[in-house]
Amino acid sequence: MTSRGGTGTGTGNGADAEAVLVAFARSSGDVAAARRVARRFEGLDDGERSALLWSEDDGAKLIAVLLLVLAMREHPDPELTDEYLSAAKAERFDDPALVDLAAEELVGAPLVGGSTGPLFALVKSDVAMVRRIAVVATLAFAKQGDAEVPLGIAGRLVRERSDTVQSALGWVLRETGKRASEPALVAFLEKSGRFLTPAARHTATEHLPPAERDRLRG
């Protein structure tokens, strides 16, 4: 992956991390604003993006993650995935949004059609946010009609008590049932649904027919 740009205070190429933070500080500070700032600074130098990602500032990390997603869309590169996962494994992510906005495209999509070993390896991480990444990344498979990978990851984490993981499980299981296979989801919930937290089970079943939903919620 090559560096794009230099230093300075302009937008895009030639901008620096400080300019990005100034722009975000002048915005509403929400995710929509972060997306706008990321698009404005899409050509930010890799080193400046890294400075944002490893910053202590939550807004800086959010924009850095969105910049990684934009970069992946433009030029898919495994180094972008590595950069993202390195920060996650170093416990730099406190906000689930940093996972939910990026894991599918940065981690899941590159593995569709290839080996899923790296995805299942993330399940073994001691870091809850990394395990959440493993769950959310499987949306890339569910959207391709593949229920096996999402349910395989969910099966390994369903007994997890951390809300960081359980909340992601509920969401991804629901999407797997909607986009890939409702019968496969129902079979999974019949076998393992009791291990989900009530909130996760509620989310996972909310799209099902009322009688089926009520039965699986117990």
Side-chain angles (χ1 to χ4, degrees), residues 24 28-37 39 62 66 95 97 101:
F24 189 55
S28 55
D30 56 12
V31 171
R35 288 187 189 277
R36 289 192 293 271
V37 172
R39 286 193 296 269
L62 174 59
L66 293 173
D95 186 350
L101 294 169

Side-chain angles (χ1 to χ4, degrees), residues 32-66:
R35 288 187 189 277
R36 289 192 293 271
V37 172
R39 286 193 296 269
R40 176 181 168 191
F41 291 91
E42 188 170 351
L44 191 70
D45 178 87
D46 294 351
E48 297 295 324
R49 183 185 64 217
S50 181
L52 292 171
L53 186 63
W54 291 85
S55 166
E56 296 299 327
D57 185 277
D58 291 339
K61 287 185 278 191
L62 174 59
I63 294 170
V65 165
L66 293 173

Side-chain angles (χ1 to χ4, degrees), residues 56-78:
E56 296 299 327
D57 185 277
D58 291 339
K61 287 185 278 191
L62 174 59
I63 294 170
V65 165
L66 293 173
L67 285 168
L68 286 169
V69 171
L70 291 172
M72 182 66 90
R73 290 174 183 172
E74 184 177 358
H75 295 294
D77 188 332

Side-chain angles (χ1 to χ4, degrees), residues 137-157:
T138 66
L139 286 171
F141 293 85
K143 290 178 180 179
Q144 295 295 320
D146 181 348
E148 183 177 353
V149 174
L151 296 179
I153 293 290
R156 286 162 172 76
L157 290 170

Side-chain angles (χ1 to χ4, degrees), residues 93-164:
F93 296 171
D94 296 320
D95 186 350
L98 300 177
V99 173
D100 301 349
L101 294 169
E104 177 187 341
E105 293 190 68
L106 290 175
V107 181
L111 297 176
V112 173
S115 171
T116 57
L119 193 59
F120 282 86
L122 297 178
V123 169
K124 301 175 184 178
S125 173
D126 292 332
V127 181
M129 282 294 181
V130 175
R131 299 194 299 276
R132 186 181 180 96
I133 286 173
V135 176
V136 176
T138 66
L139 286 171
F141 293 85
K143 290 178 180 179
Q144 295 295 320
D146 181 348
E148 183 177 353
V149 174
L151 296 179
I153 293 290
R156 286 162 172 76
L157 290 170
V158 70
R159 292 173 175 80
E160 169 102 23
R161 291 300 90 193
S162 163
D163 185 62
T164 298

Side-chain angles (χ1 to χ4, degrees), residues 187-200:
F188 176 86
L189 292 174
E190 287 175 339
K191 179 181 178 181
S192 302
R194 67 186 183 279
F195 298 116
L196 293 167
T197 62

